[in-house]
Structure formats: structure tokens, C-alpha cells
Amino acid sequence: MSTTDASHSSSDSSAFDGKVALITGAGSGIGRAMAIAFAGAGARVVACDIDPGAAGRTASGIGDAALAVTADVSSETSVAALVEAAIGAYGRVDVLCNNAGIMDTMALPADITLEQWDRVMRVNLTGAFLVTRAVLPHLLRQGGGVIVNTASEAGIRGGAAGAAYTASKHGVVGLTRNVAWAYAREGVRCNAILPGPTMTGIADGASFDPTGAARLAPVLTLGERIAQPEQMAEVALFLASDAASFVNGAIVPVDGGWSAA
């Protein structure tokens, strides 16, 4: 997809002129849609993904306004190099979208292995913390900025995913609120979106625990209520924009009304 395609966003194509958006998990799904949306709104984009080919495809699809960076958000060293690359290329970061994440196996608490638990928590929660911590000094030095975290409906429910994913996304909600509270006076806003079922491919190739999958079958078969990644990206774009300048610490369901049931 080109920058011409990106400009089809309903958002102002110049709303983010002069700003830099760093987006993790930008190689596919919601992260890729976010990268395209921010570029379409005038931002320069740092498209980060653990898969170098995926990051490169997103960046090349955007064009000169994007930089592809390969990074593992669960690694402190890799995150430091990511932020260093962003600052080295563009001199600043104005928007951080902590979007990188992995699914669990849908295993219930008695059935999940410690290895599975640790991996999901490390990517989904610790990863968001590490990138936030690395970017915050730059936001504070600039006098402010915006963080948009991708949580999940599983961040406010007990029965939308397995134990590890559910706990990790509840943690992202807590991290969002704490960052919003801690740095509001310094001009840093932090909000989270809670996607419902979205066509992202996050579960492609996954092997699900049969007991957990059977228990969660109603969630897994909500085919008529599956969103497109672009619908999530548009909300992230709004939360990062000046139109949301007094929105801080918000946890925003983007689920077609699922959470209202």
C-alpha cells in the first residue's frame, strides 16, 4: 500500500505534520494499519517489528516517510537500539503506539506452562513497559507527547482469552493508567484501545489448548463481529491527535458493542 492509499484515511492528512510516530508490531495487522494511518496524516513513521521482512514491507509501502526497524520488544537491549534508531533518524518521537503482542494458547490457569506464561507476559506487558520507559525521557525533554497502548477486550474481561493473555492485557490497562497519572503534568498523555475480535492474523499457526479453546468457543466464533485493523488504527489516530488533547488515562473499547453486553 502506498502513501496515496494511506491518505484515504478519514483523518486530516496534515494533522501530524512534523511529528514522528513509533509503532511496534507494525509489520502486520493493527500495527501495519496504524503505520499507514499515521503516515497518511502527515507523520514520519518508525515501523518496528520482530520480523525484518514484515517491517520492511510496511515501510516500503509507505515510502520515504517511514523507517523500518527490527526489534524484539521483550529485550531491553533491542528496545534501546530501537529508540536510538528512531532518534538518530528523526531527532524525536512524538507518538508511541505500543502495539506488539502475541496470543497465548487459550490455556486455563491450571493448564498453562510457565514457559508460555513468561513469553506472553514478556512480550505483551514487559515489552510495552520497556518501550514506554525508553521513549519517556524524549517525550519529557520535548515537553510532552502521546502513548497509545493496544490492550484488548481481555484486559477488562476474564473470559476472552487464556490466562496469560488475559493477565498481560489487564497489566497493559494498569500500565496505561499509571503512566497517564504519573506524567499528566509534564504533557504526556497515555490511553489504550481495547480491540474486540479483529482480522489481524495474531493466532495464525497457533496450537490451542483443547480445554481452554472449548471453554472460550463463543468468543472464537464471533465471525459476524470481526473488525478490520483500520478500524482500530482510526481510534488510535484520534487518541494521539490534538482533538483528544484532554483525553488521558482512557481505556477505550473498540469492539462493536461487545463490552456493552
Side-chain angles (χ1 to χ4, degrees), residues 16-260:
F16 288 85
D17 278 357
K19 295 187 177 182
V20 177
L22 191 165
I23 299 161
T24 68
S28 62
I30 294 172
R32 184 175 186 272
M34 286 177 173
I36 292 169
F38 276 96
R44 289 169 292 175
V45 172
V46 179
C48 162
D49 202 276
I50 195 169
D51 179 343
R57 285 189 292 274
T58 295
S60 63
I62 291 170
D64 293 340
L67 170 72
V69 180
T70 305
D72 177 357
V73 298
S74 72
S75 162
E76 185 175 14
T77 302
S78 187
V79 166
L82 162 65
V83 176
E84 188 175 309
I87 297 299
Y90 297 128
R92 60 188 296 117
V93 172
D94 300 282
V95 178
L96 166 62
C97 293
N98 281 311
N99 174 75
I102 57 173
M103 197 64 194
D104 63 11
T105 63
M106 298 291 180
L108 303 179
D111 304 315
I112 190 167
T113 67
L114 181 58
E115 180 183 14
Q116 292 169 348
W117 173 274
D118 285 345
R119 178 61 180 158
V120 172
M121 294 295 286
R122 187 77 190 173
V123 173
N124 293 2
L125 179 55
T126 303
F129 160 71
L130 288 173
V131 185
T132 296
R133 188 181 65 173
V135 167
L136 271 169
H138 301 283
L139 300 184
L140 295 172
R141 191 176 304 119
Q142 293 160 195
V146 184
I147 300 169
V148 180
N149 293 324
T150 301
S152 168
E153 272 293 311
I156 57 171
R157 292 173 173 270
Y165 189 84
T166 299
S168 72
K169 292 302 185 177
H170 272 71
V172 171
V173 169
L175 177 64
T176 299
R177 288 174 167 151
N178 185 259
V179 171
W181 166 81
Y183 298 106
R185 293 181 180 179
E186 285 75 30
V188 175
R189 297 189 296 110
C190 185
N191 298 294
I193 62 171
L194 305 175
T198 307
M199 195 69 70
T200 65
I202 189 173
D204 288 354
S207 178
F208 291 131
D209 175 85
T211 302
R215 183 71 179 274
L216 292 162
V219 175
L220 303 179
T221 55
L222 290 174
E224 74 280 6
R225 299 298 297 167
I226 295 181
Q228 295 301 313
E230 292 76 13
Q231 293 173 287
M232 305 300 142
E234 287 292 330
V235 180
L237 199 66
F238 165 73
L239 290 172
S241 74
D242 290 343
S245 61
F246 209 61
V247 181
N248 193 23
I251 309 301
V252 183
V254 192
D255 61 9
W258 184 25
S259 59

